[in-house]
Amino acid sequence: FDQNITVTGELEEARARREQAAPASPSPIPKLPTGHMVASHQFWSVWAIMYLNWMSISFFNGFWKVIGTTELHVDDQSLARLGMTWAVLSSCSRVVWGVAADWFGFRGTMVVVGVSFWAFLCTVPLCSQWFPHTLHVFLEDLGWGGDLSEHTLGVWAYFVWVNILKIIDGGAFTILPPIVSEMFGATNFPIVFGLLYSARALSSVLSTLLITRLKAAVGLNTMCEIMALGGLSAGLIAFFAPFHQIKLPQRTVAGGSRKEV
């Protein structure tokens, strides 16, 4: 009996030592004043990313059909099928972007989203110009040209580009809520994320004003290049900005540690 007590005591001591050696899990972030959260650099870093991303995304959402009808003369039925396809792909891609953010973190995933959206939006006009001609010449050299016209190849390229852009678009919406929750805590997430959506509202208004003033002067192709800069800028901010838990006010008692994401 004494031996059992000794063994039990040793096991309890060993468990106590393991608990002391294990790193303490960060305490949940308590309810914070709204002004304190809005004044933080974390808030404005994510706000800028949302603003710039939506600058590019809203432009593409409004003009993808215009590009297809004016540059490639795609009929309405084909555009409807394309819209149905990218809606499904965009929805499914959000699962993939969520997994990517778990593996590579917010920073790396957001950089990929921003830079890739910039690259594909800049090159959408090439679907009606350089891509179909170059691909047609290449296929003819291989003896595979057949009856494929440059217009058909351009429409195919346009369909691929639109679907890729909408897949990337899904990532911009998927990976932002988790990082906001990590930086501000689940308790503060609803109010913070609601305030962050002001970035989309302001971006929509200012982007519309910019498009109405510049499109007639520079043309649709150049507007794609200009508005694509929003995605590139968002990626650069994600690469350089720090994303750690918000610093708690002095009067707030919390044992949580700041966590780099």
Side-chain angles (χ1 to χ4, degrees):
F1 179 74
D2 293 339
Q3 186 178 3
N4 291 337
I5 294 177
T6 303
V7 172
T8 303
E10 291 176 352
L11 291 175
E12 291 179 352
E13 290 178 2
R15 184 175 62 182
R17 286 194 298 268
R18 286 197 303 269
E19 291 177 351
Q20 291 176 358
S25 59
S27 302
I29 299 176
K31 184 71 175 178
L32 297 176
T34 302
H36 175 76
M37 294 186 291
V38 172
S40 66
H41 68 81
Q42 291 95 331
F43 180 90
W44 290 107
S45 295
V46 178
W47 192 95
I49 289 173
M50 291 184 69
Y51 176 92
L52 293 165
N53 261 333
W54 190 245
M55 169 183 164
S56 298
I57 292 171
S58 62
F59 169 78
F60 180 70
N61 287 344
F63 280 89
W64 70 273
K65 283 187 177 181
V66 176
I67 296 171
T69 54
T70 59
E71 301 293 329
L72 291 162
H73 309 291
V74 182
D75 60 90
D76 291 339
Q77 188 175 3
S78 298
L79 289 174
R81 286 196 296 265
L82 175 58
M84 179 184 65
T85 303
W86 67 244
V88 174
L89 291 176
S90 180
S91 299
C92 295
S93 71
R94 301 186 184 210
V95 178
V96 179
W97 284 115
V99 174
D102 286 339
W103 284 357
F104 305 108
F106 169 78
R107 187 187 307 280
T109 310
M110 190 69 246
V111 169
V112 171
V113 169
V115 174
S116 58
F117 200 92
W118 162 74
F120 279 95
L121 184 54
C122 278
T123 53
V124 162
L126 297 180
C127 293
S128 63
Q129 302 164 7
W130 184 80
F131 284 150
H133 175 71
T134 304
L135 186 58
H136 189 263
V137 172
F138 177 73
L139 291 176
E140 282 190 337
D141 290 342
L142 294 177
W144 297 347
D147 297 329
L148 292 176
S149 64
E150 290 188 11
H151 176 264
T152 300
L153 293 173
V155 172
W156 286 3
Y158 167 73
F159 277 36
V160 170
W161 249 244
V162 169
N163 282 310
I164 291 176
L165 281 164
K166 295 307 296 183
I167 289 172
I168 301 170
D169 175 357
F173 292 95
T174 304
I175 64 178
L176 282 171
I179 189 65
V180 174
S181 181
E182 287 187 25
M183 291 192 299
F184 295 94
T187 303
N188 302 296
F189 174 80
I191 182 65
V192 173
F193 205 71
L195 291 171
L196 285 170
Y197 256 69
S198 64
R200 290 183 58 178
L202 184 61
S203 180
S204 297
V205 173
L206 296 183
S207 296
T208 301
L209 294 175
L210 180 65
I211 293 168
T212 54
R213 288 184 175 274
L214 289 182
K215 181 177 175 294
V218 302
L220 184 58
N221 294 353
T222 303
M223 282 306 305
C224 287
E225 298 173 1
I226 293 173
M227 302 305 288
L229 292 174
L232 178 62
S233 301
L236 291 174
I237 292 175
F239 184 78
F240 289 106
F243 297 99
H244 49 68
Q245 288 182 354
I246 186 173
K247 185 177 181 181
L248 302 178
Q250 293 296 324
R251 65 178 178 274
T252 303
V253 179
S257 58
R258 295 172 72 182
K259 176 183 176 182
E260 180 70 24
V261 179

